[in-house]
Amino acid sequence: MINLILFGPPGSGKGTQAQKLVEQYELLHISTGDLFRNEMSNDTPLGKQAKSFIAKGELVPDEVTIGMLRNKVEANPNVRGYIFDGFPRTIAQSVALDTLLSEKNEEVSKLIMLEVPDDEIVDRILKRGETSGRTDDLDSSIIRNRIEIYKNETTPVYDFYSVKGKAVRINGVGSIQEIFDRLCDEIDNL
Ligand code: C5P
Ligand code: MG
Protein backbone atom coordinates (compact mmCIF):
# COMPACT_ATOMS: atom_id res chain seq x y z
CA MET A 1 0.00 0.00 0.00
CA ILE A 2 0.93 3.63 -0.40
CA ASN A 3 -0.11 5.55 2.70
CA LEU A 4 0.50 9.25 2.31
CA ILE A 5 0.07 12.09 4.72
CA LEU A 6 -0.60 15.27 2.78
CA PHE A 7 0.60 17.89 5.21
CA GLY A 8 0.67 21.65 5.38
CA PRO A 9 -1.13 24.68 6.77
CA PRO A 10 -4.81 25.35 6.07
CA GLY A 11 -5.21 26.58 2.51
CA SER A 12 -1.97 25.00 1.30
CA GLY A 13 -3.78 23.01 -1.40
CA LYS A 14 -4.03 19.61 0.27
CA GLY A 15 -7.60 18.95 -0.84
CA THR A 16 -6.99 20.18 -4.40
CA GLN A 17 -3.91 18.04 -4.81
CA ALA A 18 -5.48 15.00 -3.12
CA GLN A 19 -8.20 14.96 -5.78
CA LYS A 20 -5.58 14.78 -8.53
CA LEU A 21 -3.50 12.19 -6.67
CA VAL A 22 -6.56 9.95 -6.28
CA GLU A 23 -6.88 9.79 -10.07
CA GLN A 24 -3.20 9.16 -10.64
CA TYR A 25 -2.57 6.54 -7.94
CA GLU A 26 -6.05 5.16 -7.15
CA LEU A 27 -5.82 5.84 -3.44
CA LEU A 28 -8.64 6.60 -1.01
CA HIS A 29 -8.69 10.26 0.00
CA ILE A 30 -9.62 10.76 3.65
CA SER A 31 -10.10 14.40 4.64
CA THR A 32 -11.00 14.67 8.30
CA GLY A 33 -12.20 18.25 7.69
CA ASP A 34 -14.61 16.98 5.01
CA LEU A 35 -15.78 14.18 7.32
CA PHE A 36 -16.54 16.73 10.04
CA ARG A 37 -18.38 19.00 7.60
CA ASN A 38 -20.44 16.05 6.45
CA GLU A 39 -21.35 15.17 10.03
CA MET A 40 -22.26 18.80 10.71
CA SER A 41 -24.49 19.10 7.67
CA ASN A 42 -26.30 15.92 8.73
CA ASP A 43 -26.52 17.32 12.27
CA THR A 44 -25.27 14.08 13.80
CA PRO A 45 -24.09 13.83 17.43
CA LEU A 46 -20.49 13.86 16.17
CA GLY A 47 -21.21 16.94 14.04
CA LYS A 48 -22.74 18.71 17.03
CA GLN A 49 -19.68 17.85 19.11
CA ALA A 50 -17.25 19.20 16.49
CA LYS A 51 -19.15 22.33 15.52
CA SER A 52 -18.05 24.81 18.19
CA PHE A 53 -14.38 23.89 17.81
CA ILE A 54 -14.44 24.25 14.03
CA ALA A 55 -16.30 27.56 14.19
CA LYS A 56 -13.47 29.02 16.31
CA GLY A 57 -10.72 27.44 14.23
CA GLU A 58 -9.69 25.20 17.12
CA LEU A 59 -8.90 21.51 17.05
CA VAL A 60 -11.60 19.00 17.84
CA PRO A 61 -10.43 16.80 20.78
CA ASP A 62 -8.11 13.99 19.73
CA GLU A 63 -10.33 11.13 20.86
CA VAL A 64 -13.22 12.38 18.71
CA THR A 65 -11.08 12.88 15.61
CA ILE A 66 -9.17 9.63 16.04
CA GLY A 67 -12.38 7.63 16.48
CA MET A 68 -13.87 9.12 13.32
CA LEU A 69 -10.70 8.43 11.31
CA ARG A 70 -10.48 4.87 12.56
CA ASN A 71 -14.09 4.21 11.50
CA LYS A 72 -13.39 5.53 8.02
CA VAL A 73 -10.24 3.41 7.58
CA GLU A 74 -11.88 0.28 8.96
CA ALA A 75 -14.87 0.77 6.66
CA ASN A 76 -12.50 0.79 3.65
CA PRO A 77 -9.96 -2.00 4.19
CA ASN A 78 -9.44 -3.14 0.61
CA VAL A 79 -7.88 -0.14 -1.03
CA ARG A 80 -4.50 0.44 -2.66
CA GLY A 81 -3.65 2.97 -0.02
CA TYR A 82 -4.81 6.11 1.73
CA ILE A 83 -4.19 9.82 1.40
CA PHE A 84 -4.63 11.38 4.81
CA ASP A 85 -5.54 15.06 4.41
CA GLY A 86 -5.80 17.20 7.53
CA PHE A 87 -4.85 14.28 9.77
CA PRO A 88 -2.77 13.78 11.87
CA ARG A 89 -2.77 17.27 13.37
CA THR A 90 -1.26 16.39 16.77
CA ILE A 91 1.33 13.95 18.07
CA ALA A 92 -1.43 11.90 19.72
CA GLN A 93 -3.14 11.59 16.33
CA SER A 94 0.18 10.52 14.76
CA VAL A 95 0.68 7.78 17.33
CA ALA A 96 -2.90 6.62 16.79
CA LEU A 97 -2.43 6.53 13.02
CA ASP A 98 0.76 4.49 13.30
CA THR A 99 -1.03 2.05 15.61
CA LEU A 100 -3.99 1.74 13.28
CA LEU A 101 -1.80 1.06 10.26
CA SER A 102 0.42 -1.38 12.14
CA GLU A 103 -2.69 -3.42 12.98
CA LYS A 104 -2.96 -3.88 9.20
CA ASN A 105 0.77 -4.62 8.92
CA GLU A 106 1.08 -1.29 7.16
CA GLU A 107 2.82 1.99 7.85
CA VAL A 108 2.97 5.59 6.72
CA SER A 109 4.93 5.64 3.46
CA LYS A 110 5.68 9.34 3.45
CA LEU A 111 4.56 12.68 4.81
CA ILE A 112 4.73 15.48 2.26
CA MET A 113 4.48 19.05 3.48
CA LEU A 114 3.24 21.78 1.14
CA GLU A 115 5.03 24.97 2.15
CA VAL A 116 3.11 28.21 1.59
CA PRO A 117 3.82 31.62 3.21
CA ASP A 118 1.26 32.90 5.75
CA ASP A 119 0.10 35.92 3.73
CA GLU A 120 -0.62 33.78 0.70
CA ILE A 121 -2.56 31.34 2.87
CA VAL A 122 -4.81 34.06 4.24
CA ASP A 123 -5.47 35.37 0.71
CA ARG A 124 -6.24 31.89 -0.60
CA ILE A 125 -8.61 30.99 2.23
CA LEU A 126 -10.51 34.29 2.05
CA LYS A 127 -10.92 33.69 -1.68
CA ARG A 128 -12.06 30.11 -1.05
CA GLY A 129 -14.55 31.48 1.51
CA GLU A 130 -16.38 33.34 -1.26
CA THR A 131 -17.63 30.00 -2.58
CA SER A 132 -16.82 27.26 -0.03
CA GLY A 133 -19.75 27.95 2.27
CA ARG A 134 -17.33 27.51 5.17
CA THR A 135 -17.81 30.11 7.88
CA ASP A 136 -14.29 29.38 9.17
CA ASP A 137 -13.00 30.64 5.78
CA LEU A 138 -14.65 34.05 6.03
CA ASP A 139 -13.01 35.72 9.01
CA SER A 140 -9.32 36.60 8.90
CA SER A 141 -8.92 36.39 12.69
CA ILE A 142 -10.23 32.80 12.66
CA ILE A 143 -7.91 32.03 9.76
CA ARG A 144 -4.95 33.48 11.70
CA ASN A 145 -5.98 31.33 14.67
CA ARG A 146 -5.96 28.22 12.46
CA ILE A 147 -2.47 29.14 11.26
CA GLU A 148 -1.25 29.65 14.85
CA ILE A 149 -2.65 26.28 15.91
CA TYR A 150 -0.99 24.69 12.89
CA LYS A 151 2.36 26.14 13.95
CA ASN A 152 2.05 25.27 17.62
CA GLU A 153 0.27 21.95 17.65
CA THR A 154 0.59 20.50 14.17
CA THR A 155 4.15 21.18 12.97
CA PRO A 156 5.53 18.74 15.62
CA VAL A 157 3.89 16.03 13.48
CA TYR A 158 6.42 16.87 10.76
CA ASP A 159 9.30 16.25 13.19
CA PHE A 160 7.67 13.03 14.41
CA TYR A 161 7.90 11.58 10.89
CA SER A 162 11.14 13.37 10.05
CA VAL A 163 13.08 11.41 12.68
CA LYS A 164 11.76 8.25 11.03
CA GLY A 165 13.17 9.53 7.72
CA LYS A 166 9.68 9.82 6.24
CA ALA A 167 9.03 13.57 5.99
CA VAL A 168 9.75 15.82 3.04
CA ARG A 169 8.78 19.37 2.23
CA ILE A 170 8.00 20.78 -1.18
CA ASN A 171 7.24 24.25 -2.46
CA GLY A 172 3.46 24.72 -2.32
CA VAL A 173 3.49 27.91 -4.40
CA GLY A 174 2.96 27.67 -8.15
CA SER A 175 0.34 26.38 -10.53
CA ILE A 176 -1.78 23.40 -9.51
CA GLN A 177 -0.02 21.33 -12.16
CA GLU A 178 3.48 22.39 -11.03
CA ILE A 179 2.73 21.43 -7.45
CA PHE A 180 1.15 18.16 -8.59
CA ASP A 181 4.33 17.32 -10.56
CA ARG A 182 6.44 17.96 -7.44
CA LEU A 183 4.20 15.63 -5.44
CA CYS A 184 4.37 12.90 -8.09
CA ASP A 185 8.18 13.10 -8.08
CA GLU A 186 8.13 12.36 -4.35
CA ILE A 187 5.62 9.52 -4.66
CA ASP A 188 7.28 7.92 -7.66
CA ASN A 189 10.57 7.53 -5.85
CA LEU A 190 9.03 5.77 -2.84
O1 C5P B 1 -8.66 20.12 7.39
P1 C5P B 1 -9.61 21.28 7.38
O2 C5P B 1 -8.89 22.60 7.30
O3 C5P B 1 -10.70 21.14 6.40
O4 C5P B 1 -10.30 21.26 8.81
C1 C5P B 1 -11.30 22.20 9.16
C2 C5P B 1 -11.41 22.26 10.66
O5 C5P B 1 -11.77 20.98 11.19
C3 C5P B 1 -10.13 22.62 11.39
O6 C5P B 1 -9.91 24.03 11.41
C4 C5P B 1 -10.42 22.08 12.77
O7 C5P B 1 -11.32 22.91 13.47
C5 C5P B 1 -11.15 20.78 12.44
N1 C5P B 1 -10.22 19.64 12.37
C6 C5P B 1 -9.67 19.14 13.55
N2 C5P B 1 -8.80 18.09 13.53
C7 C5P B 1 -8.45 17.51 12.39
C8 C5P B 1 -8.99 18.00 11.16
C9 C5P B 1 -9.87 19.08 11.19
O8 C5P B 1 -9.96 19.66 14.63
N3 C5P B 1 -7.59 16.48 12.39
MG1 MG C 1 -8.88 20.69 3.07
Side-chain angles (χ1 to χ4, degrees), residues 15-87:
T16 303
Q17 293 296 334
Q19 281 180 14
K20 291 175 69 69
L21 292 170
V22 162
E23 283 175 34
Q24 179 91 2
Y25 298 100
E26 296 173 51
L27 305 172
L28 180 71
H29 174 206
I30 302 182
S31 159
T32 40
D34 288 349
L35 293 176
F36 281 130
R37 284 183 285 277
N38 200 25
E39 298 284 339
M40 289 190 294
S41 64
N42 291 316
D43 213 17
T44 65
L46 178 60
K48 289 187 178 118
Q49 229 177 332
K51 199 170 186 163
S52 63
F53 297 98
I54 293 175
K56 288 180 272 184
E58 290 171 3
L59 292 184
V60 178
D62 282 327
E63 58 275 19
V64 176
T65 306
I66 291 166
M68 180 180 72
L69 186 278
R70 177 177 273 275
N71 287 340
K72 184 72 182 178
V73 169
E74 287 178 349
N76 295 277
N78 299 315
V79 295
R80 292 166 61 109
Y82 302 96
I83 300 175
F84 299 101
D85 159 5
F87 184 95

Side-chain angles (χ1 to χ4, degrees), residues 9-186:
S12 56
K14 301 185 294 293
T16 303
Q17 293 296 334
Q19 281 180 14
K20 291 175 69 69
L21 292 170
V22 162
E23 283 175 34
Q24 179 91 2
Y25 298 100
E26 296 173 51
L27 305 172
L28 180 71
H29 174 206
I30 302 182
S31 159
T32 40
D34 288 349
L35 293 176
F36 281 130
R37 284 183 285 277
N38 200 25
E39 298 284 339
M40 289 190 294
S41 64
N42 291 316
D43 213 17
T44 65
L46 178 60
K48 289 187 178 118
Q49 229 177 332
K51 199 170 186 163
S52 63
F53 297 98
I54 293 175
K56 288 180 272 184
E58 290 171 3
L59 292 184
V60 178
D62 282 327
E63 58 275 19
V64 176
T65 306
I66 291 166
M68 180 180 72
L69 186 278
R70 177 177 273 275
N71 287 340
K72 184 72 182 178
V73 169
E74 287 178 349
N76 295 277
N78 299 315
V79 295
R80 292 166 61 109
Y82 302 96
I83 300 175
F84 299 101
D85 159 5
F87 184 95
R89 260 179 160 89
T90 61
I91 295 293
Q93 291 177 21
S94 310
V95 172
L97 177 62
D98 284 2
T99 303
L100 176 58
L101 291 174
S102 71
E103 288 167 11
K104 300 162 67 70
N105 289 316
E106 288 293 335
E107 59 182 14
V108 169
S109 312
K110 200 175 248 188
L111 175 152
I112 309 178
M113 178 200 270
L114 298 170
E115 286 191 294
V116 181
D118 288 1
D119 289 342
E120 168 137 359
I121 288 168
V122 176
D123 290 348
R124 283 190 194 182
I125 297 180
L126 286 171
K127 187 142 198 301
R128 180 173 75 186
E130 293 169 8
T131 53
S132 69
R134 289 179 55 172
T135 52
D136 60 340
D137 283 351
L138 292 173
D139 179 325
S140 51
S141 71
I142 292 173
I143 297 169
R144 294 271 175 201
N145 192 34
R146 288 159 64 194
I147 295 171
E148 276 311 298
I149 288 175
Y150 171 77
K151 286 181 182 166
N152 297 332
E153 296 182 48
T154 304
T155 54
V157 170
Y158 182 91
D159 303 324
F160 179 88
Y161 288 102
S162 183
V163 297
K164 300 174 194 270
K166 290 182 173 179
V168 293
R169 43 181 91 213
I170 65 168
N171 182 358
V173 179
S175 71
I176 289 173
Q177 187 61 41
E178 281 165 352
I179 298 162
F180 181 65
D181 290 341
R182 291 172 199 149
L183 282 166
C184 292
D185 283 345
E186 292 297 337

